[in-house]
Amino acid sequence: MPKLLLTLISSFYLLQCPAQKNYGVSQDYYIYQNNNSSIVPLIYYETKNSWYAAARYNYEASEALSLQFGKNFSKQGKLCYSITPLAGILTGNYKGFSMAAQAEIEVGKFNFFTEPEYCFQFKNQTENFFYNWAEISIQPSKTFYTGLALQTMSRSNISLTNELGLLFGVSLKNFEIPLYFFRAPSTNYFVTGIHWRLEK
């Protein structure tokens, strides 16, 4: 993990002050059948005024660091929703910027989440790409949820590809442990992790 990411994690930790609304960290693992694997750490915080910032590594590209900033718009009630438009910058193996959004809708025990993102590379426009992670789930109990996940990707001059996966997860207080199984054209693989979130 680069020193810059460790510095950012330390800085976000110091921002745990009364003005902060919620914050969290997560560590996801991509486990492939050919024994290759990758780690995707994420840290984020959101202020009481709903301004949002996040840093993550290895997500958009291998050994690439992404910094994203935006503002959250949300509503609570029988139908809860949250929409966060984001702008970001990438460095490392992929140097460029991104336009993205996070959107979540919750109705009763059902939840829908999507995170579309378009990345632009500074030097080579053929490396621009669109990526979206989406999932729909149901939570039959306080500790267990299950559903489907869909990854969609499109690069310049390459047709759209979709990967459908199964989702199983456990929620314990401020922690979530999801497990995804994807069946890709080249190899099947798993995604798992541990997510921690605290709201004030």
Side-chain angles (χ1 to χ4, degrees):
M1 187 183 300
K3 292 182 179 179
L4 178 58
L5 185 59
L6 292 174
T7 302
L8 287 167
I9 291 173
S10 300
S11 301
F12 285 149
Y13 179 79
L14 293 174
L15 286 168
Q16 296 178 7
C17 57
Q20 191 166 308
K21 184 178 179 181
N22 67 70
Y23 48 89
V25 294
S26 69
Q27 184 83 40
D28 288 330
Y29 301 89
Y30 287 68
I31 305 167
Y32 297 89
Q33 286 185 338
N34 58 9
N35 295 324
N36 290 332
S37 61
S38 61
I39 301 173
V40 182
L42 164 72
I43 183 167
Y44 73 89
Y45 78 91
E46 183 183 334
T47 69
K48 284 188 176 180
N49 294 326
S50 299
W51 291 103
Y52 177 91
R56 60 187 173 190
Y57 185 68
N58 269 345
Y59 183 79
E60 285 82 358
S62 177
E63 298 183 12
L65 174 65
S66 170
L67 305 176
Q68 292 184 316
F69 305 92
K71 186 175 177 64
N72 177 268
F73 302 90
S74 61
K75 181 181 178 182
Q76 301 297 319
K78 291 184 178 180
L79 187 153
C80 302
Y81 70 83
S82 172
I83 301 173
T84 309
L86 297 165
I89 188 163
L90 295 98
T91 186
N93 277 355
Y94 191 103
K95 294 179 173 62
F97 65 96
S98 66
M99 301 298 294
Q102 294 178 357
E104 186 171 14
I105 299 174
E106 186 174 321
V107 182
K109 297 180 179 181
F110 292 91
N111 179 277
F112 172 75
F113 174 82
T114 184
E115 186 177 7
E117 179 178 26
Y118 197 91
C119 294
F120 306 82
Q121 193 178 67
F122 290 139
K123 293 184 179 179
N124 187 358
Q125 292 186 355
T126 61
E127 294 298 317
N128 297 352
F129 68 90
F130 169 81
Y131 176 76
N132 183 54
W133 177 288
E135 57 186 64
I136 185 168
S137 62
I138 181 172
Q139 187 166 356
S141 70
K142 290 184 178 180
T143 58
F144 176 76
Y145 57 93
T146 185
L148 298 173
L150 178 68
Q151 296 184 84
T152 302
M153 189 170 203
S154 177
R155 292 185 180 274
S156 300
N157 302 322
I158 298 178
S159 60
L160 195 72
T161 60
N162 293 292
E163 293 181 2
L164 184 64
L166 299 175
L167 162 63
F168 304 93
V170 176
S171 179
L172 301 169
K173 294 185 178 180
N174 298 328
F175 290 89
E176 285 190 8
I177 303 174
L179 174 64
Y180 304 86
F181 173 73
F182 287 97
R183 187 175 180 85
S186 57
T187 180
N188 301 335
Y189 63 97
F190 295 90
V191 181
T192 188
I194 182 166
H195 304 170
W196 175 80
R197 182 172 74 173
L198 183 63
E199 296 184 355
K200 286 188 174 182

